[in-house]
Amino acid sequence: MKQQAIDTKTNFPDSGEADESLFEYLHAEMVNYVLSRQPPNSKDGEEDLTPLESMGFAVGYRIMERLTREWSRFKDELETIKFICTDLWSSLHRKQVDNLRTNHQGVYVLHDHAFRLLTNIGAPNSSQYLREAPRLLAFTCGLLRGSLANLGILSTVTAEISTLPSCKFHVQVQRT
Amino acid sequence: MSRTGPRLDAKKVNSELFTLTYGALVTQLLKDYENVEDVNKQLERMGYNMGIRLIEDFLARTGSGRCYDFRDTAEKIQSGFKIFLGITPTITNWSPAGDAFSLCFETNPLTEFVELPDHCLNLKYCNILTGVLRGACEMVQMEVASWFVQDQLKNDSVTELRVKYVKRLEDAIPAGED
């Protein structure tokens, strides 16, 4: 974070590139907006984050179309997932996914020890905002699902948080 | 690990992420509200919420102090666009009283990849910017109003955002500041 602040101060390229803090603030507003439209009588605090997920899907689908334009075809599913964990993730979130696990039967677990959208809420390892944190992941779940969909992989993506700011994305590929 | 294509440029990807996310948000709002005017209002409100936070980033990064006059403000707003959107709008059309000016955008990252369909003629696609300006200026005790005069999405040659000084917010200065 600190490094970034210095970078932008010394070097302003006039190239129409948005600063990354803008995305974080915009994302926060989207979460607020979706929550503000929740019906008040929802049962046991269950929140409907579908709109966030579907916006993420649309973004993931489109961004993948642009990013992979000059790439050759991915060999297989694993290579596609690796592309997401390394290249896509580091461009979007300044770091790679820390750990990728798979059972080789269509289940992939992407583990990020310090997910960008979670790093600014609460102290590390505190459980203060654990209940609210899933709201911040719905968009990214959709983004992953959309990215994969554009590369021909239909999937279900869910997220899991045990301690902030670390989280796991579970990708379940749908076989037909 | 073997590469199968060119390296991705993180800054560019981030910028496209922002542009596309904004597009997805506008699409969602158009789905949720029947009235385009309501979408404009909602975008302005979200921009306001972003502006009151962005001003802190801006002040921390530039280390700038209070503005001497509205011309100074105009230049700072211009540099804000440079820092956050990477563009430099030109400042033109000062009112004789010096209390209003226009920001002209040749390019705008928000509207990259965007075309307005016919039924959205009243949509102010970039209306979030007016909210950002209002929120950011309010945090430095200044009330401004802004609106779009020209819009490239509506076939104007440039996008022109008019900014007008409304009043100084005296009460908001915390005790001991002056």
Side-chain angles (χ1 to χ4, degrees):
Chain A
M1 209 60 199
K2 204 132 216 164
Q3 186 59 41
Q4 188 58 29
I6 296 161
D7 271 350
T8 39
K9 204 169 177 178
T10 47
N11 149 41
F12 300 129
D14 204 342
S15 49
E17 285 170 350
D19 188 86
E20 43 187 43
S21 62
L22 277 188
F23 169 71
E24 283 168 32
Y25 291 139
L26 183 67
H27 179 260
E29 282 313 305
M30 290 163 63
V31 174
N32 277 346
Y33 166 73
V34 169
L35 291 179
S36 73
R37 289 181 66 85
Q38 298 288 324
N41 54 355
S42 59
K43 49 174 176 18
D44 58 307
E46 192 75 20
E47 290 166 342
D48 178 17
L49 300 172
T50 316
L52 278 174
E53 212 269 349
S54 66
M55 283 189 269
F57 182 88
V59 173
Y61 197 91
R62 296 193 170 115
I63 211 163
M64 214 35 140
E65 196 148 285
R66 292 188 52 76
L67 292 183
T68 52
R69 218 174 11 172
E70 289 162 35
W71 286 60
S72 51
R73 187 179 276 272
F74 294 110
K75 272 206 308 277
D76 51 21
E77 200 174 274
L78 185 63
E79 197 175 310
T80 313
I81 302 263
K82 276 187 189 164
F83 168 78
I84 288 186
C85 292
T86 55
D87 292 86
L88 176 69
W89 213 258
S90 54
S91 314
L92 292 180
H93 302 302
R94 297 193 297 266
K95 68 190 283 287
Q96 299 190 353
V97 169
D98 294 299
N99 194 334
L100 171 65
R101 281 162 190 262
T102 175
N103 66 354
H104 296 288
Q105 281 164 24
V107 178
Y108 298 86
V109 180
L110 285 62
H111 190 172
D112 192 332
H113 297 317
F115 183 57
R116 169 176 162 197
L117 294 171
L118 297 177
T119 46
N120 290 332
I121 57 165
N125 299 323
S126 91
S127 54
Q128 188 179 2
Y129 297 109
L130 214 49
R131 215 167 56 85
E132 289 85 359
R135 300 169 179 171
L136 299 171
L137 298 176
F139 181 85
T140 307
C141 286
L143 193 139
L144 282 171
R145 193 167 67 86
S147 310
L148 288 167
N150 195 325
L151 298 174
I153 300 175
L154 293 180
S155 59
T156 320
V157 181
T158 51
E160 171 197 331
I161 310 176
S162 42
T163 50
L164 293 171
S166 136
C167 69
K168 286 178 182 159
F169 294 96
H170 294 260
V171 178
Q172 166 96 53
V173 177
Q174 286 167 19
R175 309 258 186 233
T176 45
Chain B
M1 184 175 297
S2 68
R3 296 203 165 271
T4 48
R7 266 195 86 91
L8 303 178
D9 174 356
K11 274 205 99 155
K12 198 155 176 297
V13 177
N14 246 301
S15 176
E16 289 184 358
L17 174 69
F18 175 68
T19 306
L20 293 171
T21 305
Y22 185 67
L25 172 66
V26 176
T27 311
Q28 180 71 38
L29 291 176
L30 285 169
K31 229 183 278 172
D32 290 351
Y33 294 99
E34 283 163 25
N35 191 338
V36 174
E37 281 306 314
D38 290 338
V39 175
N40 292 339
K41 249 185 252 166
Q42 187 66 41
L43 285 173
E44 207 271 348
R45 193 175 315 148
M46 290 176 159
Y48 175 82
N49 292 337
M50 288 172 72
I52 58 180
R53 295 163 149 208
L54 269 177
I55 187 73
E56 289 189 39
D57 279 53
F58 176 79
L59 294 175
R61 287 185 194 190
T62 59
S64 59
R66 284 183 180 277
C67 298
Y68 304 110
D69 55 16
F70 203 47
R71 282 179 192 271
D72 191 19
T73 310
E75 277 164 28
K76 288 199 170 125
I77 290 175
Q78 188 188 36
S79 72
F81 274 104
K82 186 149 199 172
I83 294 173
F84 291 111
L85 282 179
I87 48 173
T88 314
T90 41
I91 303 172
T92 55
N93 294 342
W94 276 98
S95 64
D99 64 346
F101 63 91
S102 291
L103 292 165
C104 286
F105 303 84
E106 303 265 332
T107 53
N108 184 349
L110 280 182
T111 58
E112 217 182 329
F113 327 125
V114 177
E115 269 178 53
L116 283 191
D118 288 337
H119 65 275
C120 292
L121 279 181
N122 289 325
L123 176 70
K124 295 171 188 147
Y125 187 84
C126 298
N127 216 31
I128 199 151
L129 293 180
T130 61
V132 169
L133 286 184
R134 184 167 69 90
C137 289
E138 193 175 304
M139 290 298 111
V140 290
Q141 283 90 48
M142 202 179 349
E143 190 177 326
V144 298
S146 60
W147 61 93
F148 286 98
V149 186
Q150 298 189 72
D151 191 340
Q152 277 164 327
L153 291 177
K154 290 162 190 166
N155 291 327
D156 294 315
S157 59
V158 289
T159 298
E160 179 181 349
L161 180 61
R162 190 89 182 138
V163 185
K164 190 176 187 311
Y165 177 82
V166 179
K167 67 171 186 229
R168 196 182 141 94
L169 301 167
E170 298 280 357
D171 294 340
I173 302 175
E177 180 88 341
D178 272 347

